[in-house]
Amino acid sequence: MKTVNWGILGAAKFAREHMARAIHEAEGARLLALATSDPAKAEGFRAFCPDLKVHASYEALLADPGVDAVYIPLPNHLHVEWTRKAMEAGKHVLTEKPIALRAAEIDPLIALRDRTGLFATEAYMIVHHPQWQRTQQLVAEGAIGRILHADAAFSYDNRADPGNIRNRPETGGGSIPDIGVYAYGSVRWVTGGEPVALRSRIVRENGVDVFAQVVADMEGPGGRFTYTAMTSMRLPARQEVVFQGEAGLIRLTAPFNAGLFGEARVHMFRPGQPDHVERFPGARQYRNQVEAFGRRIRDGAAYPWSLEDARGTQAMIDRVFEGEMTLGY
């Protein structure tokens, strides 16, 4: 098996705590290089990867011939620019969500991917978790009948950290870019549904949305269904997704931060039948993502999330903002 050598642009906390470790531990992957202008920030990475090569600039890492693939955890407003630059440097690219702040910004990335033959995609890790893969399978098999309704909730409270990039408009902050991609994209991925009508209610602070409620009519292969979603950066932590069908419902616990928020489980409830629960305590969605990326660029294996998928979710996010009704608490 050919090892994929990875480089990371920026010493982000999330990269240090999650993705860098996943790359380091993944089969067929090697964490080779990090780009940061602050050598002190590299020490947290060297704690588990002592032979890490450190470049003083993003450009230097992209010029490194030993790097095959680049992971980009930069602030949201920099994702498109550095995804493009990485592909132009001949690197495969995995960019944190949201890969863009408008759907149209993804079109040039798709064209560049197709022109170069490189693989580039959004780091949408949940589709690599068996909790979500099992849910998609159950829905496709008709285990709860035709879907009639779905709802998603994702919230946390970061009001005590006003300098956080999620609380700053100039870095593409807000609950919708940060976690709306999960609330909206996950339901799209499971059902194949897209919004045909949508309205949203949004609360803003300092130019970023801190609460958003979406109500939509979705159209999928199984027909039309209703959908509601809530995201917030000002409410206590909550994560839940429910799919309701004609013959029962499926509830996902810890759907987005599996293992951190709680144990990942799929609960299926059907009238007249025993409740069905599947647990996934040891699943590693970030490592799974890295290994799937490696299989894709080595062997052309199927990969469950494309730039087109990311564009579909971003198009829904665009509609959420376009249909905004600004509210106050």
Side-chain angles (χ1 to χ4, degrees), residues 144-223:
I144 57 172
R146 185 169 69 90
I147 298 296
L148 300 178
H149 178 75
D151 55 83
F154 195 176
S155 63
Y156 60 89
D157 191 343
N158 73 347
R159 76 185 73 204
D161 187 11
N164 190 291
I165 60 173
R166 296 164 185 82
N167 284 319
R168 294 163 52 192
E170 69 273 17
T171 53
S175 78
I176 295 172
D178 187 38
I179 55 180
V181 292
Y182 295 127
Y184 313 152
S186 60
V187 171
R188 292 182 55 253
W189 189 72
V190 167
T191 65
E194 300 289 355
V196 293
L198 182 151
R199 62 184 183 275
S200 57
R201 297 176 178 177
I202 295 175
V203 177
R204 290 181 178 272
E205 290 180 10
N206 302 318
V208 300
D209 73 279
V210 298
F211 173 90
Q213 181 187 54
V214 173
V215 179
D217 290 330
M218 306 285 285
E219 186 77 42

Side-chain angles (χ1 to χ4, degrees), residues 71 109 141 198 273:
Y71 169 63
L109 301 182
E141 292 173 351
L198 182 151
Q273 299 187 45

Side-chain angles (χ1 to χ4, degrees), residues 225-293:
F225 61 95
T226 59
Y227 169 69
T228 60
M230 181 279 291
T231 60
S232 179
M233 304 190 302
R234 296 295 184 268
L235 292 176
R238 180 187 174 199
Q239 296 186 26
E240 185 177 43
V241 179
V242 176
F243 297 92
Q244 293 184 267
E246 293 175 316
L249 68 84
I250 294 172
R251 176 178 289 114
L252 287 80
T253 64
F256 307 122
N257 294 125
L260 297 175
F261 181 79
E263 184 185 56
R265 299 189 298 269
V266 173
H267 291 244
M268 184 162 58
F269 306 88
R270 293 178 289 186
Q273 299 187 45
D275 293 348
H276 179 79
V277 181
E278 297 182 35
R279 293 177 167 83
F280 308 92
R284 302 280 301 280
Q285 57 187 357
Y286 298 113
R287 176 172 172 167
N288 293 348
Q289 179 176 239
V290 173
E291 292 179 348
F293 193 99

